[in-house]
Amino acid sequence: MDGKSVRMYSCGPTVYNFAHIGNLRTFTFVDLLRRVLAARGYTLNHVMNITDVDDKIIRDATKAGKSLTEFTRHYEAAFLDDIAELRLQQPEKLVRATEHIPDMVSFIEQLMAKGIAYESQGSTYFSINKFPGYGKLSHKDMGGLKSGARVDSDEYDKENASDFVLWKAKKEGEVFWETPIGDGRPGWHIECSCMAMKHLGETLDIHTGGIDLQFPHHENEIAQSEALSGKPFSRFWLHSEHLSVDWTKMSKSLGNIYTLRDLKGMGYTPEALRYLLASVPYRKKLNFTFDGLKAAQTSIERLRNYQLRLETAQFGSGLNAALEERSAQAAKTFDESLDDDLNTAEALAAVFEFVRDTNSAMDAGEFLAGNIAGARQLLAKFDAIFDVLQAKQEAGGISDAEVEQLVAERTAAKKARNFKRSDEIRNQLAELGVILEDTKDGVRWKRK
Ligand code: AMP
Ligand code: ZN
């Protein structure tokens, strides 16, 4: 890394449909990684591609009777909406494949000039025999490799290595570009090598993607990039494991593919999905269930209630030194867990243990006013990464600060025995979807 800046490339979405929760798991992992790096003081220089031309896109755009651009922009916008709702930070640069065609052609021409790529029937292929390091990422045994075996498809064979297509000859009725290497369109693998190197240089610090991309996509990226530059392509490769539903692969025939829109339609919040996706360390398989999603919602509510208790309850004066030590310890464990290859499960456990212990201390009157700051700091540390504490503000609705103000006014009205006013405020908030609950520690509120 050059000083404190991280050059990171993430394989982005193929925009021919709405992203499913498996895709969103991978992008949530990337968001967590970004936030942890930022929390450690790194500046991010992060690029993500939008794959807006490939076999499936062309097939489905044709079926829909739309131009490639019209079709892909629709799903690109939907993707950006989804990631915003999930509170995923946007990379510094989002780059579209179709806007880099001349760069890809030049890349391929250079590989041809080096004798590593060859033309056959109007298409251009990468000769993997010419790149001795082929297979080093996925540790595939390339013993059964058939010299000259070729694949054209973007839907790739996960078992067998073969020469892969860099440039595909034009097919009747399909979109194509007129270029010096022939009329056609780019293969999928060249997109990422080309855009990563154009925007980030010859060697990246981190490259991410879902585990299914490790072979052959990332293996092919390494081959293309290193064959061209002679330098290592990426210092670290981080792959997130897959999400399954009820331990089964998501598939159309099983009807178990969910999108964020589906879940919202069922009444779940984007925060609940964000929390659930973030709670399982990225290298572990994540089995999605609706019970898990409900549990995620409950966990968020516990933390929001705790935060409200911190803000509104009356605590005795002074500082409980043991509890202060406890919050410092929880913060340390939280950081160390994330530094341990993003162990989010342990980081969350540290927060919940602290919440449980300090809630008990509050019940027992042992939590003092001087302990509020430490607890708040831990919540802030948590939320800088997990980002679920703040409820979404509906457009035209009422902000948290405004709710707090009305709640304080109602408490004052009640104290002054002005029950007419306090009831008015309760009703006003109810109409705005805010429910009040009087507890022995004061008033708590939540949005419906
Ligand atoms: P795609 O839009 O198909 O190009 O995929 C976008 C990202 O989602 C890639 O990094 C894939 O590896 C990842 N991905 C696809 N399916 C899953 C899944 N079931 N669980 C986690 N990540 C996935
Ligand atoms: Zn890629």
PDB file of all heavy atoms in Angstrom, residues 9-12 49 188 192 207 213 217-218 221, ligand 2:
ATOM      1  N   TYR A   9      -9.927  -3.298  -5.830  1.00  0.00           N
ATOM      2  CA  TYR A   9     -10.840  -3.534  -6.959  1.00  0.00           C
ATOM      3  C   TYR A   9     -11.828  -4.624  -6.573  1.00  0.00           C
ATOM      4  O   TYR A   9     -11.442  -5.662  -6.032  1.00  0.00           O
ATOM      5  CB  TYR A   9     -10.045  -3.983  -8.201  1.00  0.00           C
ATOM      6  CG  TYR A   9     -10.917  -4.159  -9.422  1.00  0.00           C
ATOM      7  CD1 TYR A   9     -11.195  -3.087 -10.258  1.00  0.00           C
ATOM      8  CD2 TYR A   9     -11.479  -5.400  -9.730  1.00  0.00           C
ATOM      9  CE1 TYR A   9     -12.007  -3.239 -11.377  1.00  0.00           C
ATOM     10  CE2 TYR A   9     -12.295  -5.562 -10.850  1.00  0.00           C
ATOM     11  CZ  TYR A   9     -12.548  -4.478 -11.664  1.00  0.00           C
ATOM     12  OH  TYR A   9     -13.358  -4.622 -12.766  1.00  0.00           O
ATOM     13  N   SER A  10     -13.100  -4.377  -6.840  1.00  0.00           N
ATOM     14  CA  SER A  10     -14.126  -5.381  -6.550  1.00  0.00           C
ATOM     15  C   SER A  10     -14.892  -5.717  -7.812  1.00  0.00           C
ATOM     16  O   SER A  10     -15.340  -4.808  -8.522  1.00  0.00           O
ATOM     17  CB  SER A  10     -15.138  -4.835  -5.526  1.00  0.00           C
ATOM     18  OG  SER A  10     -14.486  -4.517  -4.326  1.00  0.00           O
ATOM     19  N   CYS A  11     -15.044  -7.014  -8.060  1.00  0.00           N
ATOM     20  CA  CYS A  11     -15.899  -7.405  -9.186  1.00  0.00           C
ATOM     21  C   CYS A  11     -17.319  -7.002  -8.828  1.00  0.00           C
ATOM     22  O   CYS A  11     -17.837  -7.342  -7.764  1.00  0.00           O
ATOM     23  CB  CYS A  11     -15.818  -8.915  -9.407  1.00  0.00           C
ATOM     24  SG  CYS A  11     -14.232  -9.391 -10.095  1.00  0.00           S
ATOM     25  N   GLY A  12     -17.923  -6.259  -9.714  1.00  0.00           N
ATOM     26  CA  GLY A  12     -19.251  -5.702  -9.427  1.00  0.00           C
ATOM     27  C   GLY A  12     -20.365  -6.521 -10.040  1.00  0.00           C
ATOM     28  O   GLY A  12     -20.146  -7.663 -10.456  1.00  0.00           O
ATOM     29  N   ASN A  49     -16.502  -2.549 -10.960  1.00  0.00           N
ATOM     30  CA  ASN A  49     -17.012  -2.506 -12.341  1.00  0.00           C
ATOM     31  C   ASN A  49     -18.504  -2.797 -12.380  1.00  0.00           C
ATOM     32  O   ASN A  49     -19.048  -3.439 -11.481  1.00  0.00           O
ATOM     33  CB  ASN A  49     -16.273  -3.519 -13.204  1.00  0.00           C
ATOM     34  CG  ASN A  49     -16.603  -4.925 -12.788  1.00  0.00           C
ATOM     35  OD1 ASN A  49     -16.383  -5.304 -11.650  1.00  0.00           O
ATOM     36  ND2 ASN A  49     -17.170  -5.702 -13.692  1.00  0.00           N
ATOM     37  N   TRP A 188     -15.676 -11.573 -20.792  1.00  0.00           N
ATOM     38  CA  TRP A 188     -15.917 -11.030 -19.450  1.00  0.00           C
ATOM     39  C   TRP A 188     -14.625 -10.785 -18.673  1.00  0.00           C
ATOM     40  O   TRP A 188     -14.476  -9.774 -17.988  1.00  0.00           O
ATOM     41  CB  TRP A 188     -16.821 -12.018 -18.710  1.00  0.00           C
ATOM     42  CG  TRP A 188     -17.038 -11.755 -17.268  1.00  0.00           C
ATOM     43  CD1 TRP A 188     -17.242 -10.533 -16.668  1.00  0.00           C
ATOM     44  CD2 TRP A 188     -17.094 -12.726 -16.223  1.00  0.00           C
ATOM     45  NE1 TRP A 188     -17.431 -10.696 -15.313  1.00  0.00           N
ATOM     46  CE2 TRP A 188     -17.348 -12.038 -15.022  1.00  0.00           C
ATOM     47  CE3 TRP A 188     -16.961 -14.117 -16.187  1.00  0.00           C
ATOM     48  CZ2 TRP A 188     -17.464 -12.694 -13.800  1.00  0.00           C
ATOM     49  CZ3 TRP A 188     -17.095 -14.764 -14.974  1.00  0.00           C
ATOM     50  CH2 TRP A 188     -17.339 -14.052 -13.798  1.00  0.00           C
ATOM     51  N   CYS A 192     -12.277  -6.888 -16.348  1.00  0.00           N
ATOM     52  CA  CYS A 192     -11.802  -6.573 -15.003  1.00  0.00           C
ATOM     53  C   CYS A 192     -10.307  -6.262 -14.988  1.00  0.00           C
ATOM     54  O   CYS A 192      -9.879  -5.299 -14.347  1.00  0.00           O
ATOM     55  CB  CYS A 192     -12.151  -7.697 -14.036  1.00  0.00           C
ATOM     56  SG  CYS A 192     -13.915  -7.716 -13.654  1.00  0.00           S
ATOM     57  N   HIS A 207      -8.025  -7.317  -4.078  1.00  0.00           N
ATOM     58  CA  HIS A 207      -9.038  -7.615  -5.092  1.00  0.00           C
ATOM     59  C   HIS A 207     -10.089  -8.486  -4.410  1.00  0.00           C
ATOM     60  O   HIS A 207      -9.745  -9.444  -3.730  1.00  0.00           O
ATOM     61  CB  HIS A 207      -8.368  -8.357  -6.257  1.00  0.00           C
ATOM     62  CG  HIS A 207      -9.209  -8.442  -7.494  1.00  0.00           C
ATOM     63  ND1 HIS A 207     -10.525  -8.845  -7.483  1.00  0.00           N
ATOM     64  CD2 HIS A 207      -8.927  -8.169  -8.793  1.00  0.00           C
ATOM     65  CE1 HIS A 207     -11.003  -8.811  -8.726  1.00  0.00           C
ATOM     66  NE2 HIS A 207     -10.054  -8.401  -9.537  1.00  0.00           N
ATOM     67  N   LEU A 213     -15.985 -16.727  -8.127  1.00  0.00           N
ATOM     68  CA  LEU A 213     -15.180 -16.031  -9.143  1.00  0.00           C
ATOM     69  C   LEU A 213     -13.700 -16.413  -9.093  1.00  0.00           C
ATOM     70  O   LEU A 213     -12.933 -16.062  -9.983  1.00  0.00           O
ATOM     71  CB  LEU A 213     -15.301 -14.507  -8.976  1.00  0.00           C
ATOM     72  CG  LEU A 213     -16.713 -13.925  -9.073  1.00  0.00           C
ATOM     73  CD1 LEU A 213     -16.634 -12.406  -9.140  1.00  0.00           C
ATOM     74  CD2 LEU A 213     -17.444 -14.451 -10.293  1.00  0.00           C
ATOM     75  N   HIS A 217     -12.488 -16.950 -13.243  1.00  0.00           N
ATOM     76  CA  HIS A 217     -12.445 -15.507 -13.522  1.00  0.00           C
ATOM     77  C   HIS A 217     -11.189 -14.828 -12.979  1.00  0.00           C
ATOM     78  O   HIS A 217     -10.472 -14.142 -13.703  1.00  0.00           O
ATOM     79  CB  HIS A 217     -13.706 -14.838 -12.977  1.00  0.00           C
ATOM     80  CG  HIS A 217     -13.800 -13.377 -13.268  1.00  0.00           C
ATOM     81  ND1 HIS A 217     -13.649 -12.858 -14.531  1.00  0.00           N
ATOM     82  CD2 HIS A 217     -14.018 -12.301 -12.462  1.00  0.00           C
ATOM     83  CE1 HIS A 217     -13.784 -11.539 -14.487  1.00  0.00           C
ATOM     84  NE2 HIS A 217     -13.997 -11.178 -13.236  1.00  0.00           N
ATOM     85  N   HIS A 218     -10.899 -15.043 -11.711  1.00  0.00           N
ATOM     86  CA  HIS A 218      -9.749 -14.350 -11.132  1.00  0.00           C
ATOM     87  C   HIS A 218      -8.422 -14.945 -11.608  1.00  0.00           C
ATOM     88  O   HIS A 218      -7.428 -14.243 -11.757  1.00  0.00           O
ATOM     89  CB  HIS A 218      -9.858 -14.321  -9.605  1.00  0.00           C
ATOM     90  CG  HIS A 218     -10.959 -13.401  -9.164  1.00  0.00           C
ATOM     91  ND1 HIS A 218     -11.507 -13.441  -7.907  1.00  0.00           N
ATOM     92  CD2 HIS A 218     -11.623 -12.418  -9.831  1.00  0.00           C
ATOM     93  CE1 HIS A 218     -12.458 -12.517  -7.824  1.00  0.00           C
ATOM     94  NE2 HIS A 218     -12.547 -11.890  -8.982  1.00  0.00           N
ATOM     95  N   GLU A 221      -7.945 -13.267 -14.778  1.00  0.00           N
ATOM     96  CA  GLU A 221      -7.516 -11.870 -14.588  1.00  0.00           C
ATOM     97  C   GLU A 221      -6.019 -11.810 -14.312  1.00  0.00           C
ATOM     98  O   GLU A 221      -5.297 -10.978 -14.868  1.00  0.00           O
ATOM     99  CB  GLU A 221      -8.260 -11.224 -13.412  1.00  0.00           C
ATOM    100  CG  GLU A 221      -9.665 -10.760 -13.728  1.00  0.00           C
ATOM    101  CD  GLU A 221     -10.243  -9.952 -12.578  1.00  0.00           C
ATOM    102  OE1 GLU A 221      -9.529  -9.135 -11.973  1.00  0.00           O
ATOM    103  OE2 GLU A 221     -11.425 -10.155 -12.268  1.00  0.00           O
TER     104      GLU A 221
HETATM  105 ZN    ZN B   2     -14.293  -9.355 -12.287  1.00  0.00          ZN
END
